[in-house]
Amino acid sequence: IDPTRRGVPAPWSSKMHRFGTMHRLSGAPTRAVAVNLTRSFLRGPNTSSPSTNAPNHQRFILRTTVDSGTQGRHSHQAVPRRCMSSTTHRSPPLSIKKVISMCKGPEELSQQIILNIEKFDFAAVSSAFFKMSTTMGGSQDTVALNTGTTAPNIMKVAVDALSLRAIFFMESSAVQPPHLARILWALGRMGPRMWPDSVGQLLEGLIQNVERTAHEFTPRETAEVFQAFADMPWLAEKGAMLALFRQGAQTAPDFSPTLIAITLTGMHKLRVGEENAMLQAICRRGVSLSHLFTPHLIAMTLKALAQLKSTASWSPKPPLDACPSAACAARPPAAAARAEEEEDNVGAKRALPADLLVHTLCSRIVKITEEFEAGNTGSALRSLSKLGAAQEERAVAALTAHVTATKQDFSPQAITDALVGLAGLKSGGGDGDGKDPGEWDNDGAIQAMIGEASAKAQRFNASQISDTLMALAEIGTDRDSPLVQRLHARIEECLEEFQARDIAVCLGALCQLEVEVNDHVLFGLSRRAEDVRASFGPQEIVELLWGIHQLRRTPDRGLVQVMSEQATMKAMAFDEEAIGEVLGVLAHVGEGKISAETLQALTLRAAVLSHKLTAPALVNILASLLLFSAESELPTEASIARALCCRAGQLIRDMTIEESATAIRALGVLCRHTGVVVDSTVLQGFAHRVEGQIGKLDARGVAEMLGAFADLGLNSNDVHLLPLATALVNRAVDLRERMDGAELSMTIATIERIGLEVDGQLVERYSDWLASDEGEEKGPGKHQRGFME
């Protein structure tokens, strides 16, 4: 051991060397001893009378003894320096928790855990997990860990020792909720890269104990577990979650504002719906405590509510009027305040608890706007725009004025949040209530943030670049503005930072801004997308493909293929909206060409979700199948055709005539390809929808509609559908002069397929077309085969 590396004075080198050698010969690790000795000796040469003002961790060193009852195993105790010369009046050893709290840095903590693991009870294990997770936060080891390198062995060994010790206690004795919650929270903060194999068994035991003891959880423990589940959503088993929901709903009156914000932040990642009793109870508690929310907690809670709204089926509610009425304004201040509160309470009774919490927090914003820091201001504006809370005029006006007044304090992230929020409020400010977003100084705040962003553009990271460009696109910023050009140039400088979402949003924003994208930027983003392909989720895949389509030039055809493969692999992750979008964009960007495997996987997912499909989503899916039918092989699964036909029968009345025509044509092609015969009830529903709109069909629409119904099983023997067939034929006769040869031949062939008599006027018109110059040049086409025979 060379103590000079730690700055130890020379007179003490021999003592350290002798003590270190003694430890090395005894078989105990020497590095931990050296570290603690160094800390003690660094005080100086006067060791006979240590300073009473020295910190505790400098007045203690580890003393190694041999315990004869443990077969030579070494035990390490922290002994006061002043007692080293006396064996009769020795101070009691430090507790394990005290030793843990004295450790500085993850490596020293890991060493102490390994040396003392047999002294740990379950409470000490939970404290060590907590300390390990918080100590790693800023260490170089964690930085290396997050970049994908191998974790330091000593840290993983310490986590493994703690995990095995925790498993031992869970199998042998009852464990308390506080320790369960703390260990789960710590493991979520560490992340899977730090987990040895034993953590899997530990997590299984923890989840079982959470379900068993959930009725004993306090609000703090409930919040910690929800935060852990947010970091590890795959662990949120149904039994444990239901037990926590019940306990959270019962203990909601005991939640503090901090715990409310933490719990809501955890719940949004678990896709909790508005009907959840715990969510409603916590929001009611938040309303009653709104006067205690700080700016940071307001920003945190609004962000969680905005994310909950985007993941749950949060139906729009009538806006609450945040401003006092004219009658209130004419009353004395106290009376006006009471009347305003009564108006708010009346509106509150009509609102959901989550909506009411947003409203009360906005009222709180108005009162404490001056206390908001830049980061909280930007976050609150972004959340309010996502919540559609433009009607909260007083809160928005206060925040936008605060943006202008404190613009110099905004960091790149705060600038990004503010611009995204201001852009959303500007575009959505007049939704539903007819109010002009210009009633607050929106444009002034936007210009202030654009100016700050231009000055700080070189500090923007990948996520901030993409979000800011999208905000500028929504605002309508000119593509030649200095900020757009600086951010465009900045993309190339930090390409390696771009993740899946950043790439997708950035391409979409550049398209909307109509920027002439630099080739280096375009190909760089393309290569980066291929590098991080595995991290693309359904929404990122859709956004990236739309960006490529809108650019009108593809950086690499291989990128479309890569995204198609990712869509195939992750087909079961697409929801009912994304499945229609991805099929539609693949049909356009792939020019109707797609692998049979991809088309099969995506259409099968559409069939599984058919009961959830909305009319626009279903039309997207069916329209894409029409485009694919010309170039690709359609799926042959009969179940797909049946499911889509059944859902179309339920939604046909919600479609426009054009959407109905598209749906019926696509279903006709699909049924012909799969050999499925549509149920007569569904077919009659299609017929009733079309009958009243036949007069709106043009020449091509009539021909295609006849063909589609023929594919679906329309024939002259069905008395219920005969009126529809007759009406379509009569419409075709009326429009015969506007039909070209292909439409005429298609119509005549379809009429014969149905079993009706072909009108002589159609035959005469087709004969005239064949004799014309156009007919002689083109001749009979593929649709004319039936008629020619």
Side-chain angles (χ1 to χ4, degrees):
I1 298 177
D2 179 10
T4 58
R5 290 183 302 167
R6 301 265 182 165
V8 177
W12 302 103
S13 300
S14 59
K15 292 188 178 183
M16 284 202 57
H17 180 71
R18 287 200 301 274
F19 198 83
T21 303
M22 180 178 68
H23 256 73
R24 186 163 59 251
L25 293 176
S26 67
T30 57
R31 184 173 183 183
V33 177
V35 169
N36 285 278
L37 275 171
T38 303
R39 185 175 295 130
S40 179
F41 282 107
L42 275 173
R43 293 180 297 107
N46 186 18
T47 59
S48 59
S49 57
S51 171
T52 56
N53 295 325
N56 284 337
H57 73 271
Q58 291 187 353
R59 299 208 305 271
F60 289 86
I61 61 174
L62 289 180
R63 178 173 180 179
T64 301
T65 61
V66 179
D67 184 357
S68 59
T70 57
Q71 297 180 352
R73 184 177 295 128
H74 296 82
S75 63
H76 302 268
Q77 295 178 345
V79 182
R81 281 183 46 81
R82 60 181 177 271
C83 299
M84 285 294 290
S85 61
S86 173
T87 59
T88 57
H89 302 287
R90 194 175 287 173
S91 298
L94 289 177
S95 67
I96 290 297
K97 287 187 178 181
K98 184 66 174 177
V99 172
I100 291 172
S101 66
M102 289 165 53
C103 293
K104 305 296 181 183
E107 283 197 16
E108 183 182 351
L109 176 62
S110 300
Q111 291 164 356
Q112 291 296 339
I113 290 171
I114 295 168
L115 290 174
N116 297 284
I117 189 63
E118 291 190 1
K119 299 179 182 178
F120 280 57
D121 58 10
F122 198 69
V125 169
S126 69
S127 297
F129 265 118
F130 179 83
K131 179 75 172 180
M132 179 76 81
S133 65
T134 54
T135 306
M136 290 191 322
S139 69
Q140 292 181 350
D141 295 327
T142 306
V143 173
L145 204 61
N146 292 335
T147 57
T149 58
T150 306
N153 286 336
I154 190 169
M155 296 166 66
K156 275 203 170 182
V157 170
V159 175
D160 189 43
L162 290 172
S163 299
L164 294 174
R165 190 69 173 165
I167 292 168
F168 167 76
F169 283 111
M170 287 193 296
E171 291 176 347
S172 60
S173 61
V175 292
Q176 299 300 315
H179 309 317
L180 293 173
R182 178 164 286 195
I183 293 175
L184 276 170
W185 181 90
L187 288 172
R189 186 183 175 105
M190 288 181 190
R193 290 183 183 274
M194 268 301 298
W195 295 351
D197 294 340
S198 58
V199 170
Q201 184 181 353
L202 172 61
L203 286 171
E204 184 178 351
L206 290 172
I207 297 301
Q208 291 174 358
N209 277 277
V210 166
E211 183 175 357
R212 181 175 57 83
T213 62
H215 63 282
E216 302 176 17
F217 275 51
T218 64
R220 175 169 294 281
E221 292 149 12
T222 302
E224 287 179 348
V225 174
F226 271 108
Q227 198 169 7
F229 283 163
D231 294 329
M232 306 175 288
W234 62 90
L235 291 178
E237 294 188 2
K238 189 174 182 180
M241 289 301 303
L242 290 177
L244 279 176
F245 284 148
R246 286 193 295 268
Q247 181 66 3
Q250 292 174 3
T251 59
D254 298 327
F255 273 70
S256 66
T258 301
L259 295 180
I260 290 171
I262 292 173
T263 305
L264 289 175
T265 300
M267 292 178 79
H268 88 83
K269 292 187 179 180
L270 301 173
R271 301 184 69 85
V272 175
E274 63 178 347
E275 71 285 350
N276 184 279
M278 178 180 170
L279 175 62
Q280 295 183 7
I282 288 178
C283 288
R284 291 192 191 97
R285 176 62 173 168
V287 172
S288 65
L289 297 179
S290 60
H291 62 287
L292 299 177
F293 275 72
T294 64
H296 175 68
L297 292 178
I298 291 173
M300 189 175 175
T301 304
L302 287 176
K303 182 178 180 180
L305 290 171
Q307 291 166 328
L308 275 166
K309 181 176 182 178
S310 66
T311 56
S313 55
W314 200 328
S315 56
K317 308 298 182 300
L320 294 173
D321 190 357
C323 296
S325 63
C328 285
R331 298 170 186 163
R338 286 195 300 271
E340 180 182 347
E341 185 176 353
E342 290 174 2
E343 288 183 5
D344 286 348
N345 290 335
V346 171
K349 294 178 181 178
R350 299 193 300 269
L352 286 174
D355 295 314
L356 182 56
L357 180 56
V358 173
H359 177 62
T360 54
L361 290 179
C362 286
S363 299
R364 175 70 173 158
I365 288 172
V366 176
K367 297 177 182 178
I368 61 171
T369 307
E370 295 302 320
E371 300 177 21
F372 272 70
E373 297 178 354
N376 296 328
T377 304
S379 177
L381 280 171
R382 186 169 188 166
S383 300
L384 287 175
S385 70
K386 200 170 184 178
L387 285 164
Q391 68 272 11
E392 301 286 358
E393 291 181 4
R394 291 185 299 166
V396 174
L399 289 173
T400 51
H402 197 55
V403 166
T404 307
T406 60
K407 61 182 180 181
Q408 66 279 1
D409 299 331
F410 276 67
S411 65
Q413 184 59 54
I415 293 170
T416 300
D417 288 341
L419 279 174
V420 171
L422 291 168
L425 290 166
K426 182 175 182 179
S427 61
D431 288 353
D433 56 7
K435 294 175 182 175
D436 182 6
E439 291 180 14
W440 55 81
D441 190 15
N442 202 1
D443 291 336
I446 288 173
Q447 293 306 315
M449 288 295 95
I450 288 177
E452 289 298 311
S454 297
K456 301 171 183 176
Q458 289 303 309
R459 293 165 50 192
F460 276 59
N461 61 28
S463 177
Q464 293 158 1
I465 291 170
S466 57
D467 286 347
T468 302
L469 284 172
M470 183 57 73
L472 294 175
E474 292 178 4
I475 293 169
T477 306
D478 187 78
R479 65 180 180 181
D480 296 324
S481 72
L483 179 55
V484 172
Q485 296 303 316
R486 288 176 188 174
L487 292 177
H488 184 202
R490 176 70 178 146
I491 294 172
E492 192 173 357
E493 298 173 7
C494 53
L495 276 172
E496 295 305 313
E497 298 178 16
F498 275 76
Q499 300 303 315
R501 179 190 172 278
D502 306 328
I503 297 169
V505 173
C506 186
L507 272 178
L510 291 172
C511 292
Q512 289 189 40
L513 288 165
E514 299 181 352
V515 175
E516 188 64 33
V517 183
N518 185 307
D519 286 341
H520 294 292
V521 170
L522 187 57
F523 283 97
L525 289 174
S526 174
R527 287 192 300 271
R528 182 62 182 163
E530 293 187 24
D531 292 341
V532 298
R533 67 184 73 181
S535 61
F536 273 82
Q539 195 58 44
E540 287 84 11
I541 292 172
V542 171
E543 290 180 0
L544 178 62
L545 289 173
W546 272 120
I548 293 173
H549 174 60
Q550 292 170 349
L551 277 174
R552 305 298 179 190
R553 60 192 181 107
T554 303
D556 182 6
R557 293 297 305 175
L559 181 58
V560 177
Q561 181 62 30
V562 166
M563 289 297 106
S564 298
E565 292 171 357
Q566 290 300 310
T568 305
M569 295 169 57
K570 299 170 182 174
M572 298 309 292
F574 282 80
D575 61 19
E576 57 273 17
E577 296 298 328
I579 195 68
E581 292 174 352
V582 74
L583 280 169
V585 70
L586 281 173
H588 287 89
V589 78
E591 298 176 353
K593 298 178 182 178
I594 189 174
S595 69
E597 182 183 5
T598 299
L599 189 56
Q600 179 79 10
L602 294 175
T603 51
L604 185 59
R605 178 60 176 167
V608 170
L609 295 172
S610 59
H611 63 288
K612 295 182 178 180
L613 293 174
T614 61
L618 180 60
V619 171
N620 274 343
I621 294 169
L622 295 174
S624 64
L625 291 179
L626 272 181
L627 293 174
F628 287 133
S629 63
E631 301 289 346
S632 304
E633 184 178 349
L634 292 178
T636 57
E637 303 286 347
S639 60
I640 296 175
R642 291 194 187 96
L644 295 180
C645 281
C646 181
R647 187 57 176 166
Q650 296 169 354
L651 298 177
I652 193 71
R653 293 188 180 278
D654 298 332
M655 301 180 189
T656 65
I657 184 60
E658 292 80 9
E659 292 173 341
S660 302
T662 299
I664 292 169
R665 285 164 48 210
L667 290 171
V669 173
L670 190 59
C671 290
R672 183 175 72 245
H673 188 75
T674 57
V676 170
V677 177
V678 180
D679 183 80
S680 60
T681 305
V682 174
L683 198 56
Q684 289 173 27
F686 292 167
H688 290 317
R689 179 70 183 92
V690 172
E691 278 176 345
Q693 305 291 333
I694 289 178
K696 298 181 180 179
L697 294 175
D698 59 9
R700 184 167 187 81
V702 171
E704 290 176 341
M705 190 65 72
L706 267 172
F709 272 104
D711 291 335
L712 289 170
L714 176 64
N715 61 76
S716 59
N717 297 324
D718 191 333
V719 294
H720 297 290
L721 299 176
L722 189 59
L724 171 68
T726 303
L728 286 171
V729 170
N730 291 337
R731 180 63 176 167
V733 172
D734 294 340
L735 298 175
R736 64 185 183 280
E737 296 298 332
R738 303 180 188 178
M739 291 184 175
D740 59 19
E743 293 162 355
L744 284 164
S745 63
M746 183 192 303
T747 302
I748 294 170
T750 304
I751 292 172
E752 290 190 334
R753 281 176 58 198
I754 294 173
L756 296 176
E757 183 178 352
V758 179
D759 190 284
Q761 297 178 79
L762 289 173
V763 178
E764 181 180 355
R765 170 72 183 108
Y766 183 60
S767 300
D768 293 342
W769 181 83
L770 283 175
S772 66
D773 295 339
E774 182 182 1
E776 291 180 356
E777 179 182 353
K778 295 183 178 179
K782 62 179 181 179
H783 296 295
Q784 303 164 2
R785 185 178 300 111
F787 172 69
M788 294 302 290
E789 292 175 353

